[in-house]
């Protein structure tokens, strides 16, 4: 099931996208995505308001969870080739400098002010940074609360998946010797265009692609994650209660702007598109 938050005729709704990805119908009685997550068990049989169904092309898709109750959890350096390009770039933050592949996942967060949706403008913040970069990532959405979740039970806690762009100001990441400030700026977390529920896909075999102005920059598969999804859920939930609606971004593959020599950072007017199998395409313009 593909679920989207969208605007049509001035009304914001949660709807179900059909299997051909051409029509969307609002789900009766579901106000927002957290409602949908709470009703996960009966969502498939929930009635759609077919009188208000319309072509997907006629609606404005919005960030599926526009105001998460907590920071977005993110994982750094989780694809080998990206870990290598990061190590060689000179932009690596002090706390994780050194080995190309770490023995434990690097986890940081992005605050809720970073969230924007498909086709929203991402601000370049040129008064404080000149090295804004893109990071295409698979994100998972927690469906069932849990703490100290074991690897074997991890998938039982996942509601679904979506795309995020973990936008990063590399100079702030480097200069402040941590990852938060460079990743926390307003609009720095585009998300969408929809959530596919966990039964829709195999998260360990999804193609992840990213284009800048039509040029393919990132092209990988989630099977190459260093720390797989069960490991990430187990690590982050150790002593920390994960709650429905929490978002975990799983890391970006090689091909980000800092990996080029010289680096290819984003400029005003650049368009970044990210596609992941079953999850559609997330496009944003940078200004
Ligand atoms: Mg990232």
């Amino acid at each position: 099931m593909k679920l989207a938050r969208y605007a049509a005729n001035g009304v914001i709704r949660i709807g179900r996208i059909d299997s051909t990805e051409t029509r969307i119908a609002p789900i009766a009685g579901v106000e927002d995505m957290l409602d949908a997550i709470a009703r996960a068990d009966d969502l498939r049989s929930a009635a759609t308001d077919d009188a208000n169904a319309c072509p997907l092309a006629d609606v404005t898709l919005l960030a599926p969870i526009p105001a998460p109750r907590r920071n977005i959890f993110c994982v750094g350096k989780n694809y080998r080739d990206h870990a290598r390009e990061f190590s060689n770039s000179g932009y690596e933050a002090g706390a994780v400098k050194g080995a190309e592949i770490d023995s434990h996942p690097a986890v940081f967060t992005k605050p809720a002010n970073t969230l924007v949706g498909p086709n929203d403008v991402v601000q370049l913040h040129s008064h404080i940074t000149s090295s804004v970069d893109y990071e295409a990532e698979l994100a998972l959405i927690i469906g069932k609360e849990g703490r100290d979740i074991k690897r074997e039970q991890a998938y039982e806690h996942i509601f679904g998946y979506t795309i995020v762009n973990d936008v990063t100001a590399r100079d702030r990441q480097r200069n402040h010797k941590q990852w938060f400030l460079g990743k926390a700026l307003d609009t720095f977390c585009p998300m969408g265009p929809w959530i596919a529920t966990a039964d829709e896909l195999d998260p360990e075999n999804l193609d992840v692609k990213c284009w800048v102005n039509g040029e393919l920059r990132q092209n990988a598969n989630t099977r190459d994650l260093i720390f797989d999804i069960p490991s990430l859920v187990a690590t982050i939930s150790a002593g920390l209660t994960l709650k429905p609606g929490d978002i975990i971004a799983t890391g970006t593959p090689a091909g980000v702007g800092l990996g080029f020599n010289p680096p290819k950072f984003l400029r005003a007017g650049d368009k970044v598109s990210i596609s992941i199998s079953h999850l559609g395409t997330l496009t944003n313009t940078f200004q």
Side-chain angles (χ1 to χ4, degrees):
M1 202 172 15
K2 295 184 175 82
L3 300 170
R5 178 171 164 269
Y6 68 102
N9 303 318
V11 181
I12 293 177
R13 296 183 165 103
I14 300 295
R16 196 152 68 197
I17 298 170
D18 73 356
S19 59
T20 62
E21 295 176 15
T22 55
R23 287 184 73 76
I24 186 163
I27 304 173
V30 173
E31 296 295 317
D32 63 26
M33 201 57 80
L34 294 180
D35 263 0
I37 294 169
R39 292 181 51 183
D41 290 341
D42 62 356
L43 209 54
R44 189 166 291 281
S45 56
T48 50
D49 174 5
D50 293 327
N52 279 308
C54 59
L56 192 56
D58 290 353
V59 309
T60 302
L61 293 173
L62 305 169
I65 301 174
R69 287 183 289 202
R70 303 202 294 180
N71 283 15
I72 301 142
F73 299 94
C74 302
V75 179
K77 294 175 62 173
N78 204 18
Y79 288 82
R80 285 172 208 286
D81 290 348
H82 172 65
R84 206 162 293 127
E85 74 181 349
F86 196 42
S87 276
N88 295 335
S89 71
Y91 281 89
E92 196 166 39
V96 291
K97 208 164 187 168
E100 289 178 1
I101 309 298
D102 299 304
S103 56
H104 295 67
V107 181
F108 58 94
T109 69
K110 292 169 91 78
N113 60 290
T114 57
L115 241 301
V116 291
N119 301 308
D120 282 342
V121 169
V122 178
Q123 300 167 30
L124 284 169
H125 300 276
S126 54
H127 60 303
I128 51 168
T129 175
S130 55
S131 55
V132 174
D133 207 351
Y134 51 90
E135 293 192 352
E137 305 198 9
L138 172 70
L140 60 91
I141 313 295
I142 293 294
K144 191 175 108 187
E145 182 171 309
R147 196 178 87 161
D148 301 320
I149 299 168
K150 293 186 171 57
R151 275 185 56 89
E152 306 76 58
Q153 267 101 48
Y155 283 120
E156 296 168 21
H157 291 263
I158 296 176
F159 173 76
Y161 300 88
T162 190
I163 300 172
V164 302
N165 187 347
D166 175 19
V167 180
T168 306
R170 298 294 181 197
D171 43 9
R172 289 170 68 80
Q173 186 177 23
R174 178 195 60 202
N175 296 347
H176 293 272
K177 298 182 174 55
Q178 45 67 57
W179 295 16
F180 182 77
L181 286 180
K183 290 172 175 282
L185 305 182
D186 291 352
T187 73
F188 265 25
C189 192
M191 177 190 194
W194 58 68
I195 293 174
T197 50
D199 56 316
E200 281 268 312
L201 51 79
D202 172 7
E204 298 181 12
N205 182 18
L206 299 174
D207 292 326
V208 179
K209 296 184 182 184
C210 176
W211 296 262
V212 178
N213 302 326
E215 178 192 334
L216 183 63
R217 295 278 185 87
Q218 295 183 279
N219 186 3
N221 187 285
T222 56
R223 76 172 78 88
D224 296 326
L225 286 172
I226 297 169
F227 300 100
D228 63 10
I229 288 168
S231 300
L232 298 178
V233 171
T235 297
I236 294 171
S237 73
L240 182 163
T241 304
L242 285 173
K243 298 187 174 188
D246 280 346
I247 302 159
I248 300 176
T250 57
T252 200
V256 297
L258 69 63
F260 293 86
N261 187 14
K264 295 183 178 183
F265 295 129
L266 295 169
R267 296 185 214 169
D270 281 350
K271 192 166 90 171
V272 177
S273 293
I274 301 170
S275 291
I276 298 183
S277 320
H278 307 284
L279 298 177
T281 300
L282 173 66
T283 298
N284 297 88
T285 301
F286 286 67
Q287 274 307 335

